Structures are given as C-alpha cells and as structure tokens.
Amino acid sequence: MSGRKTIQVDEAQWRRVQRRARQLQGLQRDVPRLLDDVRAQTRADVDRAFASVDARQRRQDEAVRQLSDRTRHIEAETGRRLREQAERLHQELHETAGRIEEQTRQRLDGLRREAERALAAERAERRAETARLAQEIDAVKADRARAEETAHTWLADARTMAGLIERELPHERYAPGRLDRLVQRLATAGQNAAEHRFDAALALGQETFHELSDLRVDIEQRELARCLARKEAVEALVQVEALAEENRRRPVVDTDGTPVTGYSLDVAHWSGGEYDQVRQDTAAALTRARDPQTGTDALLALRDEEAPALERRLGETVERAGLRQLTSQLRVNLADVVAQTLAEVAFYDLVEEECHYAGEDERGDFHAVLRHEATGNEIRVRIAQAHPDSDQCVIHVETTDHDVTAEAELRDRADAVYQALRQEGGPMGLEPSAPVEETVLPAPASVRGSRDEAAGTTT
C-alpha cells in the first residue's frame, strides 16, 4: 500500500488536514499575469463602451447644427461640455483599469460630483436664457409676422431636439414616457400655430424645447454614470474569471505548508462540476454586464453583490476540492493500516492488482483485496466516506471463506483492526469505535464491521 501514497496526511491531525484545505480558499491573486489580463480586458471593454458614446455625441453634434441661430450656440456649448466629461471619464477609467480600490473609486466619485455640478450650472444657464427670451415675447406679440416666424423657429428646433433624443438616446431607460409627453405638447403648440395663436405656440414651444434640452443632458449624464458602473462591474467579474483560471490548478502542500514537488490539485476535477459551474455563472454575469441594455442599478448589483458572491463560491470550491483530494489519500492510508494489520494477525497478503478506486476515479471509494496463500480465503476492504464531503470515513471489511472461520477469530480480526486504527490513527485525529455487527468500521468517528453475506460471517 505504501507505494500508492502521494500526499502524506497520515501524520497530520484531521483538523490540520481541514485547515490545509481551508488555506486554499485564499485564492492566488498576486500574480502579475493575472493583473495584466484583468487590466487588458477592462481597458478593451472601456474603449468599446466609449467608442459608442463618442459616435453618439458626434451624431448629436450634426443634429445641433440644424438648429436655429437662437438655440444652436447654447446647445453646441452643452455638447462640448458633455464631450469633455465623457473624455475625462474615459481617460480615468482607462488609466484605473485593473485597480478596484477605494482610492480609485473616490476619484471616480469626484468625477461624478463634478458632472453633477456641471449639469446644475448648465440648467441654471438654461433657465436664465429662458427668462431672457420670455421678456421678448410681449414685443414679439405686437408684430404678427415676427411672432409667426419666431414660433415656427422654436417649434422646428424643439422637433429637431425631440428627434435627436428619439434616435440617439436611451430615453425610455432613464425617463420612460417623458419624451412622449413632450412630443404631445409640441403637437399642441403646432395646433396653436395652425390656428394663428402664435403667442401661445411660441410660449409652449420655448418651454418644450428647454425641457427637451434638459432631458438630453439628463440622459447623457445618466448614461455616463452607467458607463462607470459597467466598467466596475465588468472589471470585478473579469477578476473573478481570471482568478478562476489562475486557481484551476493549485500546488499541493505538506503538513508544514511546503509544496510537494510533482503534485498539484486539479480543482476542476476534484470539485465535481462545481468549478465549471462557477465559471459558467461568471461568464453569464459578464454577458449581462456587457449588454448595453443592462441598467445602472443592475450593474451596481453585479459589482457589489454577484461578483463578490462568485469569488466566495470560487474560494469555497477550491477549498472543497482540496479537502476531497486529501480525504482520497486518507482512504488509501486507512486501507494501508487495515492491510498491514490483517497481514500481521491473520497472514493475509495484499493483492496489488486488485486495489483500486471505484470506477478508477480517485474521488470514489477505495477497494483493496487480501488473500490467504494457504487457504485461498479473501478479505475485501472498502473505504468510503459516510456521506459527501464528510470528515467520517467508513471501513467495510468482508471475509469470503473457502473453509469455516470461527466467529471468535473474525471478531479478533476486527478488534485488531480497531486497535491498529486507534494506534496509527491517533496522529491523524481518528477516533474509532469498537466493531459493530452488520454495520461498518468508520473512521475517524467510529469503526464498524460488515456481515459477509456469502459466508455468513462477520468482521
């Protein structure tokens, strides 16, 4: 049996085995390649997002050039301010790619506050402009032709702005129904103009234009905030993805934490599908984070809730995989103790070619066969866990006799195994109980025996 040993756990207490497995939950993250990968993916995603922002703002600039002289200047200035905010945010997000830390978030929060101040200043300027234009209305009313021309100009500008918002901005995401209401007001203003009520048309047209302009700015600001949330969500999830790849194989360490040369923990294999599920769930979350239809709140939830939860699951999966590998070796070690004991007390020899894991899978039960050279009698040993991920191993010992073995002799064998487990298992933290008929020999919590159905004997 000793030739099958790969990880020395027989000299460590069970609790130390568990602690070693728990150490694996501390995911390997201080790896330059991992950080470079997170940074590269995040920057590429940020650049894609802001390429769309830049293209949208260029199309808005083209629409603004179609406005009248009266409104073109202020809307062009608004567009310039929005572009500057987007460029600064783009640059900041590009430079901070791969660094999810409080200092970075504080700087980004500063950009958000600055954007809010710019928005407030823009709206204050717009309100002042509206008040100044309102003073001109009385003078315009006296000149019917001028009133008609001015009303139609404002209505045309308002329709241009409404079309810009309809084509270029996600208005239903941030202000559902608001554009429709403003378009209806434009229709009312147009009806006033058709009825030659140009003063009413002018007042309603001006008010509607400025509300549309405010709506444009508000949507742009909210969309930039979404870009920021998207960057942070994508970065957090890319980090989980990179951590999963980096921790797919972990070094195996001995009882003092020294890596065992030539051995590694295949987390994907030992996790029994859990690792692959974490990878799939992370990929699905990344798809949602990169979807342009995912809103800001959902992105923040991905960043603050889902990404940390996935990272915790990954750590727990790595821990369980390590524990399963260690307990697999523990099953071999227990079979070794049983085999050596039976060889000493009953002169049974181990049949090496019949020792194996069930299904040739190290995650399963371990089977060993011992044979008495003189009589041909066999003892079959099966080491299993009491239940999945249990710290309780169950030892089944089944004797198949070609002659008749006395009940007392079978009981003596079971007692010898029990005493050997107490002696050898002490350093492992095993606490076997005395053999019990028709059950099993568990360790570390108990040792029981099984009935030999073929021969009608118990061990």
Side-chain angles (χ1 to χ4, degrees):
M1 294 298 294
S2 59
R4 293 180 177 272
K5 293 179 182 177
T6 55
I7 309 170
Q8 296 299 321
V9 298
D10 55 315
E11 295 181 356
Q13 293 181 352
W14 175 262
R15 284 182 288 276
R16 291 189 64 189
V17 170
Q18 290 178 308
R19 284 200 298 272
R20 284 172 54 198
R22 279 195 293 272
Q23 288 171 1
L24 296 170
Q25 190 173 0
L27 299 172
Q28 297 180 129
R29 61 178 68 246
D30 296 327
V31 182
R33 182 170 57 82
L34 184 153
L35 299 176
D36 289 343
D37 184 52
V38 171
R39 188 178 299 112
Q41 288 200 52
T42 302
R43 283 177 173 167
D45 194 85
V46 166
D47 291 344
R48 283 193 297 269
F50 277 88
S52 299
V53 171
D54 184 60
R56 184 178 68 245
Q57 290 181 340
R58 285 199 303 271
R59 291 192 298 269
Q60 289 185 60
D61 291 343
E62 293 174 2
V64 166
R65 284 193 286 271
Q66 300 173 22
L67 296 173
S68 66
D69 293 341
R70 187 182 298 273
T71 58
R72 187 187 309 120
H73 171 72
I74 191 168
E75 292 304 319
E77 182 63 19
T78 297
R80 183 190 65 79
R81 192 171 293 174
L82 289 171
R83 280 195 306 277
E84 285 182 353
Q85 291 174 3
E87 289 167 1
R88 290 184 62 190
L89 183 60
H90 183 188
Q91 181 180 0
E92 184 73 17
L93 295 184
H94 191 90
E95 291 177 353
T96 60
R99 302 204 309 269
I100 302 179
E101 54 192 30
E102 189 59 32
Q103 185 178 5
T104 300
R105 283 181 174 161
Q106 287 174 358
R107 282 201 304 274
L108 296 176
D109 285 341
L111 277 179
R112 278 201 288 269
R113 289 192 295 271
E114 185 176 337
E116 290 170 359
R117 288 194 296 269
L119 175 59
E122 179 66 31
R123 285 176 168 166
E125 183 178 350
R126 201 174 302 281
R127 284 194 296 271
E129 178 69 7
T130 300
R132 184 183 65 79
L133 293 172
Q135 294 174 358
E136 299 178 2
I137 293 178
D138 290 338
V140 170
K141 288 178 182 178
D143 185 338
R144 184 178 179 82
R146 184 182 173 194
E148 180 178 358
E149 178 185 358
T150 303
H152 282 302
T153 297
W154 277 101
L155 289 175
D157 286 350
R159 292 186 184 109
T160 298
M161 185 62 68
L164 180 157
I165 294 170
E166 175 66 33
R167 293 188 308 273
E168 304 296 341
L169 298 176
H171 56 92
E172 283 300 323
R173 172 186 294 161
Y174 299 116
R178 187 174 170 188
L179 179 61
D180 290 340
R181 291 191 294 272
L182 292 174
V183 169
Q184 289 173 3
R185 288 172 58 183
L186 271 180
T188 301
Q191 184 63 35
N192 288 338
E195 295 172 357
H196 303 286
R197 297 172 55 215
F198 299 117
D199 54 343
L202 177 57
L204 190 54
Q206 284 179 333
E207 181 184 354
T208 303
F209 174 85
H210 287 299
E211 289 197 27
L212 286 164
S213 183
D214 285 344
L215 178 60
R216 171 201 174 195
V217 173
D218 187 48
I219 293 172
E220 280 287 4
Q221 293 294 330
R222 291 173 181 268
E223 184 63 7
L224 289 179
R226 195 191 76 85
C227 287
L228 171 58
R230 167 176 164 157
K231 179 263 185 184
E232 292 186 325
V234 167
E235 185 168 83
L237 291 164
V238 165
Q239 179 166 291
V240 175
E241 191 175 59
L243 283 171
E245 181 60 30
E246 192 63 38
N247 288 271
R248 190 186 189 282
R249 300 194 76 91
R250 293 291 298 268
V252 173
V253 296
D254 61 19
T255 55
D256 62 2
T258 303
V260 179
T261 304
Y263 296 98
S264 63
L265 169 65
D266 185 343
V267 175
H269 171 74
W270 287 98
S271 69
E274 294 174 16
Y275 172 86
D276 291 335
Q277 189 61 55
V278 171
R279 292 295 299 266
Q280 292 170 17
D281 292 346
T282 303
L286 261 173
T287 298
R288 296 199 305 276
R290 288 169 170 153
D291 187 344
Q293 299 305 314
T294 303
T296 305
D297 290 344
L299 290 168
L300 293 175
L302 285 169
R303 181 196 73 185
D304 297 334
E305 299 171 16
E306 192 149 356
L310 285 166
E311 186 170 329
R312 285 193 298 273
R313 280 177 55 196
L314 176 63
E316 292 164 357
T317 297
V318 173
E319 177 188 349
R320 278 193 294 273
L323 186 59
R324 288 167 184 171
Q325 187 187 51
L326 292 168
T327 55
S328 173
Q329 181 58 38
L330 180 60
R331 291 194 289 277
V332 177
N333 294 340
L334 290 173
D336 195 14
V337 172
V338 174
Q340 290 179 15
T341 302
L342 293 175
E344 292 172 1
V345 302
F347 306 105
Y348 277 73
D349 296 321
L350 185 68
V351 183
E352 289 279 352
E353 60 271 18
E354 295 193 40
C355 295
H356 63 279
Y357 285 97
E360 303 301 325
D361 187 340
E362 294 175 329
R363 296 169 296 186
D365 300 350
F366 186 79
H367 295 257
V369 175
L370 297 99
R371 186 174 295 128
H372 195 286
E373 183 177 359
T375 65
N377 293 345
E378 289 184 346
I379 298 176
R380 295 182 176 273
V381 179
R382 178 168 64 90
I383 315 292
Q385 281 184 274
H387 52 80
D389 296 324
S390 170
D391 62 355
Q392 234 185 21
C393 288
V394 182
I395 304 176
H396 301 261
V397 181
E398 178 181 311
T399 302
T400 303
D401 290 342
H402 294 284
D403 52 12
V404 178
T405 303
E407 182 74 21
E409 183 177 343
L410 293 175
R411 192 173 302 280
D412 287 344
R413 291 179 193 171
D415 287 339
V417 171
Y418 162 63
Q419 295 296 336
L421 286 173
R422 291 191 64 184
Q423 181 178 354
E424 298 291 334
M428 288 188 282
L430 306 179
E431 299 177 0
S433 63
V436 178
E437 189 173 324
E438 293 193 355
T439 54
V440 288
L441 275 167
S446 58
V447 177
R448 306 185 182 105
S450 65
R451 176 174 295 278
D452 174 9
E453 296 179 356
T457 60
T458 60
T459 60

